[in-house]
Amino acid sequence: MNGNDFFRPLWLRVGIVLACFGWAVLELVNGQTGWAMLAGAVGAYGVWSFLIAYEPPSKE
């Protein structure tokens, strides 16, 4: 991350990830598997970057 405080709240990071996976489900229900895979991949990257590897910016 670039040290931005915008992504500090956990609820916001979880919400972004859920929105991506929700969009993937919506696309899958509508038969758009390519867009569903793309949104699912963005959601998976969000899980990694926002939930697993996230380090809050230091207080400087």
Side-chain angles (χ1 to χ4, degrees):
M1 304 302 287
N2 63 0
N4 192 347
D5 281 338
F6 180 75
F7 294 112
R8 182 178 290 275
L10 178 62
W11 66 267
L12 180 64
R13 292 180 279 137
V14 170
I16 291 170
V17 169
L18 289 178
C20 292
F21 283 129
W23 194 266
V25 169
L26 177 73
E27 293 292 353
L28 195 59
V29 167
N30 287 323
Q32 301 294 323
T33 55
W35 288 112
M37 289 188 327
L38 181 65
V42 171
Y45 178 73
V47 167
W48 169 254
S49 63
F50 287 145
L51 303 177
I52 296 172
Y54 180 78
E55 293 181 15
S58 61
K59 297 274 187 179
E60 292 181 1

Short mmCIF file of all heavy atoms in Angstrom, two decimals:
data_model
loop_
_atom_site.label_atom_id
_atom_site.label_comp_id
_atom_site.label_asym_id
_atom_site.label_seq_id
_atom_site.Cartn_x
_atom_site.Cartn_y
_atom_site.Cartn_z
N MET A 1 0.84 -1.18 0.00
CA MET A 1 0.00 0.00 0.00
C MET A 1 0.88 1.24 0.00
O MET A 1 2.05 1.19 0.31
CB MET A 1 -0.91 -0.01 1.23
CG MET A 1 -1.80 -1.25 1.38
SD MET A 1 -2.91 -1.59 0.02
CE MET A 1 -4.11 -0.33 0.22
N ASN A 2 0.28 2.35 -0.28
CA ASN A 2 1.05 3.58 -0.36
C ASN A 2 0.94 4.43 0.90
O ASN A 2 1.28 5.60 0.87
CB ASN A 2 0.61 4.39 -1.59
CG ASN A 2 -0.84 4.81 -1.50
OD1 ASN A 2 -1.51 4.50 -0.53
ND2 ASN A 2 -1.31 5.49 -2.52
N GLY A 3 0.48 3.86 1.99
CA GLY A 3 0.38 4.61 3.24
C GLY A 3 -0.88 5.45 3.34
O GLY A 3 -0.97 6.36 4.17
N ASN A 4 -1.88 5.16 2.55
CA ASN A 4 -3.11 5.93 2.56
C ASN A 4 -4.00 5.46 3.71
O ASN A 4 -4.24 4.28 3.89
CB ASN A 4 -3.82 5.74 1.22
CG ASN A 4 -4.95 6.71 1.03
OD1 ASN A 4 -5.37 7.38 1.96
ND2 ASN A 4 -5.44 6.80 -0.18
N ASP A 5 -4.49 6.41 4.52
CA ASP A 5 -5.37 6.07 5.65
C ASP A 5 -6.79 5.70 5.22
O ASP A 5 -7.57 5.26 6.04
CB ASP A 5 -5.44 7.25 6.63
CG ASP A 5 -4.22 7.32 7.51
OD1 ASP A 5 -3.55 6.29 7.68
OD2 ASP A 5 -3.94 8.41 8.04
N PHE A 6 -7.12 5.84 3.95
CA PHE A 6 -8.47 5.56 3.48
C PHE A 6 -8.84 4.10 3.72
O PHE A 6 -9.98 3.79 4.06
CB PHE A 6 -8.58 5.89 1.99
CG PHE A 6 -9.94 5.64 1.42
CD1 PHE A 6 -10.99 6.50 1.68
CD2 PHE A 6 -10.19 4.52 0.64
CE1 PHE A 6 -12.25 6.27 1.16
CE2 PHE A 6 -11.44 4.28 0.12
CZ PHE A 6 -12.47 5.16 0.38
N PHE A 7 -7.90 3.18 3.55
CA PHE A 7 -8.19 1.76 3.68
C PHE A 7 -7.94 1.23 5.08
O PHE A 7 -7.94 0.02 5.29
CB PHE A 7 -7.36 0.96 2.68
CG PHE A 7 -7.73 1.23 1.25
CD1 PHE A 7 -6.86 1.90 0.41
CD2 PHE A 7 -8.94 0.83 0.75
CE1 PHE A 7 -7.19 2.15 -0.90
CE2 PHE A 7 -9.30 1.08 -0.56
CZ PHE A 7 -8.42 1.74 -1.39
N ARG A 8 -7.76 2.06 6.06
CA ARG A 8 -7.48 1.61 7.42
C ARG A 8 -8.66 0.86 8.06
O ARG A 8 -8.45 -0.18 8.67
CB ARG A 8 -7.08 2.79 8.31
CG ARG A 8 -6.74 2.37 9.72
CD ARG A 8 -6.29 3.54 10.55
NE ARG A 8 -5.00 4.05 10.19
CZ ARG A 8 -3.84 3.56 10.65
NH1 ARG A 8 -3.86 2.57 11.48
NH2 ARG A 8 -2.71 4.09 10.28
N PRO A 9 -9.92 1.33 7.94
CA PRO A 9 -11.02 0.60 8.60
C PRO A 9 -11.24 -0.79 7.99
O PRO A 9 -11.33 -0.95 6.77
CB PRO A 9 -12.24 1.48 8.36
CG PRO A 9 -11.73 2.79 7.92
CD PRO A 9 -10.39 2.57 7.32
N LEU A 10 -11.34 -1.78 8.86
CA LEU A 10 -11.55 -3.15 8.40
C LEU A 10 -12.87 -3.29 7.66
O LEU A 10 -12.95 -4.00 6.65
CB LEU A 10 -11.49 -4.11 9.59
CG LEU A 10 -11.75 -5.58 9.28
CD1 LEU A 10 -10.71 -6.13 8.33
CD2 LEU A 10 -11.81 -6.38 10.56
N TRP A 11 -13.92 -2.62 8.14
CA TRP A 11 -15.23 -2.76 7.51
C TRP A 11 -15.20 -2.30 6.06
O TRP A 11 -15.89 -2.87 5.20
CB TRP A 11 -16.31 -2.01 8.29
CG TRP A 11 -16.14 -0.52 8.29
CD1 TRP A 11 -15.49 0.22 9.23
CD2 TRP A 11 -16.61 0.40 7.30
NE1 TRP A 11 -15.52 1.55 8.88
CE2 TRP A 11 -16.20 1.69 7.71
CE3 TRP A 11 -17.33 0.27 6.13
CZ2 TRP A 11 -16.49 2.83 6.96
CZ3 TRP A 11 -17.62 1.41 5.40
CH2 TRP A 11 -17.20 2.67 5.82
N LEU A 12 -14.38 -1.30 5.74
CA LEU A 12 -14.29 -0.80 4.37
C LEU A 12 -13.58 -1.81 3.48
O LEU A 12 -14.02 -2.09 2.36
CB LEU A 12 -13.56 0.54 4.35
CG LEU A 12 -13.40 1.19 2.99
CD1 LEU A 12 -14.76 1.53 2.41
CD2 LEU A 12 -12.54 2.43 3.09
N ARG A 13 -12.51 -2.39 3.98
CA ARG A 13 -11.77 -3.38 3.20
C ARG A 13 -12.62 -4.62 2.95
O ARG A 13 -12.64 -5.15 1.84
CB ARG A 13 -10.47 -3.74 3.90
CG ARG A 13 -9.49 -2.57 3.90
CD ARG A 13 -8.19 -2.90 4.58
NE ARG A 13 -8.36 -2.77 6.04
CZ ARG A 13 -7.89 -3.62 6.91
NH1 ARG A 13 -7.23 -4.67 6.54
NH2 ARG A 13 -8.09 -3.41 8.20
N VAL A 14 -13.34 -5.08 3.97
CA VAL A 14 -14.22 -6.23 3.80
C VAL A 14 -15.36 -5.90 2.83
O VAL A 14 -15.73 -6.72 1.99
CB VAL A 14 -14.76 -6.70 5.17
CG1 VAL A 14 -15.86 -7.73 5.00
CG2 VAL A 14 -13.64 -7.24 6.03
N GLY A 15 -15.88 -4.71 2.92
CA GLY A 15 -16.96 -4.29 2.02
C GLY A 15 -16.53 -4.27 0.56
O GLY A 15 -17.29 -4.67 -0.33
N ILE A 16 -15.32 -3.82 0.30
CA ILE A 16 -14.81 -3.80 -1.07
C ILE A 16 -14.68 -5.22 -1.61
O ILE A 16 -15.08 -5.51 -2.75
CB ILE A 16 -13.47 -3.05 -1.13
CG1 ILE A 16 -13.69 -1.57 -0.86
CG2 ILE A 16 -12.78 -3.25 -2.46
CD1 ILE A 16 -12.41 -0.78 -0.65
N VAL A 17 -14.15 -6.11 -0.79
CA VAL A 17 -14.00 -7.50 -1.21
C VAL A 17 -15.36 -8.14 -1.46
O VAL A 17 -15.57 -8.82 -2.47
CB VAL A 17 -13.19 -8.29 -0.16
CG1 VAL A 17 -13.23 -9.77 -0.43
CG2 VAL A 17 -11.75 -7.80 -0.12
N LEU A 18 -16.31 -7.92 -0.56
CA LEU A 18 -17.65 -8.49 -0.74
C LEU A 18 -18.35 -7.91 -1.97
O LEU A 18 -19.09 -8.63 -2.66
CB LEU A 18 -18.49 -8.25 0.51
CG LEU A 18 -18.10 -9.07 1.73
CD1 LEU A 18 -18.97 -8.70 2.93
CD2 LEU A 18 -18.18 -10.55 1.45
N ALA A 19 -18.13 -6.65 -2.25
CA ALA A 19 -18.72 -6.05 -3.44
C ALA A 19 -18.17 -6.70 -4.71
O ALA A 19 -18.93 -6.96 -5.66
CB ALA A 19 -18.46 -4.54 -3.46
N CYS A 20 -16.89 -6.98 -4.74
CA CYS A 20 -16.30 -7.64 -5.90
C CYS A 20 -16.86 -9.05 -6.09
O CYS A 20 -17.22 -9.43 -7.21
CB CYS A 20 -14.78 -7.69 -5.77
SG CYS A 20 -14.00 -6.09 -5.88
N PHE A 21 -16.95 -9.81 -5.00
CA PHE A 21 -17.50 -11.16 -5.11
C PHE A 21 -19.00 -11.13 -5.43
O PHE A 21 -19.50 -11.97 -6.15
CB PHE A 21 -17.22 -11.97 -3.86
CG PHE A 21 -15.81 -12.47 -3.77
CD1 PHE A 21 -15.06 -12.27 -2.64
CD2 PHE A 21 -15.23 -13.14 -4.83
CE1 PHE A 21 -13.76 -12.72 -2.54
CE2 PHE A 21 -13.93 -13.60 -4.77
CZ PHE A 21 -13.18 -13.39 -3.61
N GLY A 22 -19.70 -10.14 -4.90
CA GLY A 22 -21.11 -9.99 -5.23
C GLY A 22 -21.31 -9.68 -6.70
O GLY A 22 -22.24 -10.20 -7.35
N TRP A 23 -20.44 -8.85 -7.24
CA TRP A 23 -20.52 -8.52 -8.67
C TRP A 23 -20.23 -9.78 -9.50
O TRP A 23 -20.87 -10.00 -10.53
CB TRP A 23 -19.54 -7.41 -9.01
CG TRP A 23 -19.82 -6.85 -10.36
CD1 TRP A 23 -19.24 -7.23 -11.53
CD2 TRP A 23 -20.78 -5.86 -10.70
NE1 TRP A 23 -19.77 -6.51 -12.57
CE2 TRP A 23 -20.73 -5.67 -12.08
CE3 TRP A 23 -21.68 -5.11 -9.94
CZ2 TRP A 23 -21.53 -4.75 -12.73
CZ3 TRP A 23 -22.48 -4.21 -10.60
CH2 TRP A 23 -22.41 -4.03 -11.97
N ALA A 24 -19.29 -10.59 -9.04
CA ALA A 24 -18.99 -11.83 -9.75
C ALA A 24 -20.20 -12.76 -9.77
O ALA A 24 -20.51 -13.37 -10.80
CB ALA A 24 -17.79 -12.52 -9.10
N VAL A 25 -20.88 -12.86 -8.65
CA VAL A 25 -22.09 -13.71 -8.59
C VAL A 25 -23.16 -13.15 -9.51
O VAL A 25 -23.84 -13.90 -10.23
CB VAL A 25 -22.59 -13.82 -7.13
CG1 VAL A 25 -23.97 -14.46 -7.08
CG2 VAL A 25 -21.60 -14.60 -6.29
N LEU A 26 -23.34 -11.85 -9.52
CA LEU A 26 -24.34 -11.22 -10.39
C LEU A 26 -24.04 -11.53 -11.85
O LEU A 26 -24.95 -11.87 -12.62
CB LEU A 26 -24.36 -9.70 -10.15
CG LEU A 26 -25.29 -8.91 -11.03
CD1 LEU A 26 -26.73 -9.14 -10.58
CD2 LEU A 26 -24.95 -7.44 -10.99
N GLU A 27 -22.79 -11.41 -12.24
CA GLU A 27 -22.42 -11.71 -13.62
C GLU A 27 -22.61 -13.19 -13.94
O GLU A 27 -23.05 -13.53 -15.04
CB GLU A 27 -20.97 -11.31 -13.88
CG GLU A 27 -20.71 -9.81 -13.83
CD GLU A 27 -21.35 -9.03 -14.95
OE1 GLU A 27 -21.91 -9.63 -15.89
OE2 GLU A 27 -21.29 -7.79 -14.89
N LEU A 28 -22.30 -14.05 -12.99
CA LEU A 28 -22.46 -15.48 -13.21
C LEU A 28 -23.93 -15.85 -13.37
O LEU A 28 -24.29 -16.66 -14.24
CB LEU A 28 -21.84 -16.26 -12.05
CG LEU A 28 -21.61 -17.73 -12.25
CD1 LEU A 28 -20.68 -17.98 -13.43
CD2 LEU A 28 -21.03 -18.34 -11.00
N VAL A 29 -24.79 -15.25 -12.57
CA VAL A 29 -26.23 -15.51 -12.67
C VAL A 29 -26.77 -15.06 -14.03
O VAL A 29 -27.66 -15.70 -14.60
CB VAL A 29 -26.98 -14.81 -11.51
CG1 VAL A 29 -28.48 -14.77 -11.75
CG2 VAL A 29 -26.66 -15.49 -10.20
N ASN A 30 -26.21 -13.99 -14.56
CA ASN A 30 -26.65 -13.48 -15.86
C ASN A 30 -25.97 -14.18 -17.03
O ASN A 30 -26.15 -13.78 -18.18
CB ASN A 30 -26.40 -11.97 -15.95
CG ASN A 30 -27.38 -11.21 -15.10
OD1 ASN A 30 -28.54 -11.58 -15.01
ND2 ASN A 30 -26.91 -10.15 -14.47
N GLY A 31 -25.14 -15.19 -16.76
CA GLY A 31 -24.54 -15.96 -17.83
C GLY A 31 -23.27 -15.37 -18.42
O GLY A 31 -22.82 -15.83 -19.46
N GLN A 32 -22.72 -14.39 -17.79
CA GLN A 32 -21.50 -13.74 -18.29
C GLN A 32 -20.29 -14.29 -17.54
O GLN A 32 -19.76 -13.65 -16.63
CB GLN A 32 -21.61 -12.22 -18.10
CG GLN A 32 -22.78 -11.60 -18.82
CD GLN A 32 -22.64 -11.72 -20.33
OE1 GLN A 32 -21.55 -11.60 -20.87
NE2 GLN A 32 -23.75 -11.96 -20.99
N THR A 33 -19.84 -15.47 -17.94
CA THR A 33 -18.79 -16.14 -17.18
C THR A 33 -17.45 -15.42 -17.27
O THR A 33 -16.67 -15.45 -16.32
CB THR A 33 -18.62 -17.60 -17.65
OG1 THR A 33 -18.38 -17.60 -19.05
CG2 THR A 33 -19.84 -18.42 -17.32
N GLY A 34 -17.17 -14.78 -18.38
CA GLY A 34 -15.90 -14.06 -18.50
C GLY A 34 -15.81 -12.90 -17.53
O GLY A 34 -14.79 -12.73 -16.83
N TRP A 35 -16.86 -12.10 -17.46
CA TRP A 35 -16.88 -10.98 -16.51
C TRP A 35 -16.93 -11.48 -15.08
O TRP A 35 -16.37 -10.85 -14.17
CB TRP A 35 -18.07 -10.06 -16.79
CG TRP A 35 -17.89 -9.26 -18.05
CD1 TRP A 35 -18.61 -9.40 -19.19
CD2 TRP A 35 -16.93 -8.23 -18.29
NE1 TRP A 35 -18.15 -8.51 -20.12
CE2 TRP A 35 -17.13 -7.78 -19.60
CE3 TRP A 35 -15.92 -7.65 -17.53
CZ2 TRP A 35 -16.35 -6.78 -20.16
CZ3 TRP A 35 -15.16 -6.65 -18.10
CH2 TRP A 35 -15.37 -6.22 -19.40
N ALA A 36 -17.61 -12.62 -14.86
CA ALA A 36 -17.66 -13.19 -13.52
C ALA A 36 -16.27 -13.63 -13.07
O ALA A 36 -15.89 -13.41 -11.92
CB ALA A 36 -18.63 -14.38 -13.49
N MET A 37 -15.50 -14.23 -13.98
CA MET A 37 -14.14 -14.64 -13.63
C MET A 37 -13.26 -13.42 -13.36
O MET A 37 -12.44 -13.44 -12.45
CB MET A 37 -13.55 -15.50 -14.74
CG MET A 37 -14.18 -16.86 -14.82
SD MET A 37 -13.41 -18.06 -15.94
CE MET A 37 -12.78 -17.11 -17.26
N LEU A 38 -13.45 -12.37 -14.13
CA LEU A 38 -12.67 -11.15 -13.92
C LEU A 38 -12.99 -10.52 -12.57
O LEU A 38 -12.09 -10.18 -11.80
CB LEU A 38 -12.94 -10.15 -15.04
CG LEU A 38 -12.17 -8.84 -14.95
CD1 LEU A 38 -10.68 -9.09 -15.10
CD2 LEU A 38 -12.66 -7.88 -16.01
N ALA A 39 -14.27 -10.40 -12.24
CA ALA A 39 -14.66 -9.83 -10.95
C ALA A 39 -14.23 -10.74 -9.80
O ALA A 39 -13.83 -10.26 -8.74
CB ALA A 39 -16.17 -9.60 -10.91
N GLY A 40 -14.30 -12.05 -10.00
CA GLY A 40 -13.83 -12.98 -8.98
C GLY A 40 -12.33 -12.88 -8.76
O GLY A 40 -11.85 -12.97 -7.63
N ALA A 41 -11.59 -12.66 -9.83
CA ALA A 41 -10.14 -12.49 -9.71
C ALA A 41 -9.81 -11.21 -8.96
O ALA A 41 -8.89 -11.18 -8.13
CB ALA A 41 -9.49 -12.50 -11.08
N VAL A 42 -10.55 -10.15 -9.24
CA VAL A 42 -10.35 -8.89 -8.52
C VAL A 42 -10.68 -9.09 -7.05
O VAL A 42 -9.98 -8.57 -6.16
CB VAL A 42 -11.18 -7.75 -9.15
CG1 VAL A 42 -11.16 -6.52 -8.29
CG2 VAL A 42 -10.66 -7.44 -10.54
N GLY A 43 -11.74 -9.83 -6.76
CA GLY A 43 -12.10 -10.12 -5.38
C GLY A 43 -11.03 -10.95 -4.68
O GLY A 43 -10.70 -10.69 -3.51
N ALA A 44 -10.46 -11.93 -5.38
CA ALA A 44 -9.40 -12.74 -4.79
C ALA A 44 -8.16 -11.90 -4.52
O ALA A 44 -7.51 -12.05 -3.48
CB ALA A 44 -9.06 -13.90 -5.71
N TYR A 45 -7.84 -11.00 -5.44
CA TYR A 45 -6.70 -10.10 -5.21
C TYR A 45 -7.00 -9.18 -4.02
O TYR A 45 -6.11 -8.86 -3.24
CB TYR A 45 -6.39 -9.28 -6.46
CG TYR A 45 -5.27 -8.31 -6.24
CD1 TYR A 45 -3.96 -8.77 -6.14
CD2 TYR A 45 -5.51 -6.95 -6.10
CE1 TYR A 45 -2.92 -7.89 -5.92
CE2 TYR A 45 -4.47 -6.07 -5.89
CZ TYR A 45 -3.18 -6.54 -5.81
OH TYR A 45 -2.15 -5.66 -5.58
N GLY A 46 -8.26 -8.76 -3.89
CA GLY A 46 -8.65 -7.93 -2.76
C GLY A 46 -8.50 -8.66 -1.44
O GLY A 46 -8.10 -8.06 -0.44
N VAL A 47 -8.84 -9.95 -1.42
CA VAL A 47 -8.65 -10.73 -0.19
C VAL A 47 -7.17 -10.72 0.18
O VAL A 47 -6.81 -10.51 1.34
CB VAL A 47 -9.15 -12.18 -0.38
CG1 VAL A 47 -8.68 -13.08 0.75
CG2 VAL A 47 -10.66 -12.20 -0.46
N TRP A 48 -6.31 -10.94 -0.81
CA TRP A 48 -4.88 -10.97 -0.52
C TRP A 48 -4.39 -9.59 -0.06
O TRP A 48 -3.75 -9.48 0.98
CB TRP A 48 -4.10 -11.42 -1.75
CG TRP A 48 -2.63 -11.20 -1.57
CD1 TRP A 48 -1.88 -10.24 -2.16
CD2 TRP A 48 -1.76 -11.91 -0.69
NE1 TRP A 48 -0.59 -10.32 -1.72
CE2 TRP A 48 -0.49 -11.34 -0.80
CE3 TRP A 48 -1.94 -12.96 0.18
CZ2 TRP A 48 0.60 -11.80 -0.09
CZ3 TRP A 48 -0.84 -13.41 0.89
CH2 TRP A 48 0.41 -12.84 0.75
N SER A 49 -4.69 -8.56 -0.82
CA SER A 49 -4.08 -7.26 -0.53
C SER A 49 -4.75 -6.53 0.63
O SER A 49 -4.06 -5.80 1.35
CB SER A 49 -4.09 -6.38 -1.78
OG SER A 49 -5.40 -6.12 -2.18
N PHE A 50 -6.05 -6.70 0.83
CA PHE A 50 -6.76 -5.96 1.87
C PHE A 50 -6.88 -6.72 3.19
O PHE A 50 -7.03 -6.10 4.24
CB PHE A 50 -8.16 -5.58 1.42
CG PHE A 50 -8.19 -4.48 0.40
CD1 PHE A 50 -9.14 -4.48 -0.60
CD2 PHE A 50 -7.28 -3.45 0.43
CE1 PHE A 50 -9.19 -3.47 -1.53
CE2 PHE A 50 -7.31 -2.43 -0.50
CZ PHE A 50 -8.27 -2.45 -1.49
N LEU A 51 -6.86 -8.05 3.16
CA LEU A 51 -7.11 -8.81 4.38
C LEU A 51 -5.90 -9.61 4.85
O LEU A 51 -5.68 -9.73 6.05
CB LEU A 51 -8.31 -9.74 4.17
CG LEU A 51 -9.61 -9.03 3.76
CD1 LEU A 51 -10.70 -10.06 3.53
CD2 LEU A 51 -10.02 -8.00 4.77
N ILE A 52 -5.13 -10.16 3.94
CA ILE A 52 -4.01 -11.01 4.35
C ILE A 52 -2.72 -10.21 4.49
O ILE A 52 -2.06 -10.25 5.53
CB ILE A 52 -3.83 -12.17 3.36
CG1 ILE A 52 -5.08 -13.07 3.40
CG2 ILE A 52 -2.58 -12.98 3.69
CD1 ILE A 52 -5.11 -14.14 2.34
N ALA A 53 -2.35 -9.48 3.44
CA ALA A 53 -1.05 -8.80 3.43
C ALA A 53 -1.13 -7.34 3.86
O ALA A 53 -0.12 -6.64 3.81
CB ALA A 53 -0.45 -8.89 2.03
N TYR A 54 -2.28 -6.87 4.29
CA TYR A 54 -2.45 -5.46 4.64
C TYR A 54 -1.68 -5.11 5.91
O TYR A 54 -1.77 -5.81 6.92
CB TYR A 54 -3.93 -5.13 4.85
CG TYR A 54 -4.17 -3.68 5.20
CD1 TYR A 54 -4.14 -2.71 4.23
CD2 TYR A 54 -4.44 -3.30 6.51
CE1 TYR A 54 -4.36 -1.39 4.55
CE2 TYR A 54 -4.65 -1.99 6.83
CZ TYR A 54 -4.60 -1.03 5.85
OH TYR A 54 -4.83 0.29 6.16
N GLU A 55 -0.92 -4.05 5.84
CA GLU A 55 -0.25 -3.49 7.01
C GLU A 55 -0.67 -2.04 7.11
O GLU A 55 -0.44 -1.26 6.18
CB GLU A 55 1.27 -3.59 6.86
CG GLU A 55 1.77 -5.01 6.88
CD GLU A 55 3.28 -5.08 6.76
OE1 GLU A 55 3.94 -4.04 6.95
OE2 GLU A 55 3.76 -6.18 6.47
N PRO A 56 -1.28 -1.64 8.21
CA PRO A 56 -1.72 -0.24 8.34
C PRO A 56 -0.53 0.70 8.26
O PRO A 56 0.57 0.35 8.67
CB PRO A 56 -2.37 -0.18 9.72
CG PRO A 56 -2.37 -1.55 10.26
CD PRO A 56 -1.59 -2.43 9.38
N PRO A 57 -0.75 1.89 7.72
CA PRO A 57 0.34 2.86 7.66
C PRO A 57 0.81 3.25 9.05
O PRO A 57 0.03 3.29 10.00
CB PRO A 57 -0.26 4.05 6.92
CG PRO A 57 -1.72 3.86 6.96
CD PRO A 57 -1.98 2.41 7.17
N SER A 58 2.08 3.51 9.16
CA SER A 58 2.64 3.88 10.46
C SER A 58 2.21 5.29 10.84
O SER A 58 1.93 6.13 9.98
CB SER A 58 4.16 3.79 10.42
OG SER A 58 4.67 4.69 9.46
N LYS A 59 2.14 5.55 12.13
CA LYS A 59 1.74 6.88 12.64
C LYS A 59 2.96 7.78 12.68
O LYS A 59 3.69 7.83 13.66
CB LYS A 59 1.15 6.74 14.04
CG LYS A 59 -0.09 5.93 14.10
CD LYS A 59 -1.26 6.80 13.83
CE LYS A 59 -2.53 6.01 14.07
NZ LYS A 59 -3.71 6.75 13.87
N GLU A 60 3.23 8.48 11.61
CA GLU A 60 4.36 9.40 11.56
C GLU A 60 3.90 10.81 11.35
O GLU A 60 3.03 11.13 10.69
CB GLU A 60 5.32 9.00 10.45
CG GLU A 60 6.00 7.71 10.75
CD GLU A 60 6.98 7.35 9.63
OE1 GLU A 60 7.12 8.11 8.67
OE2 GLU A 60 7.57 6.29 9.73
#
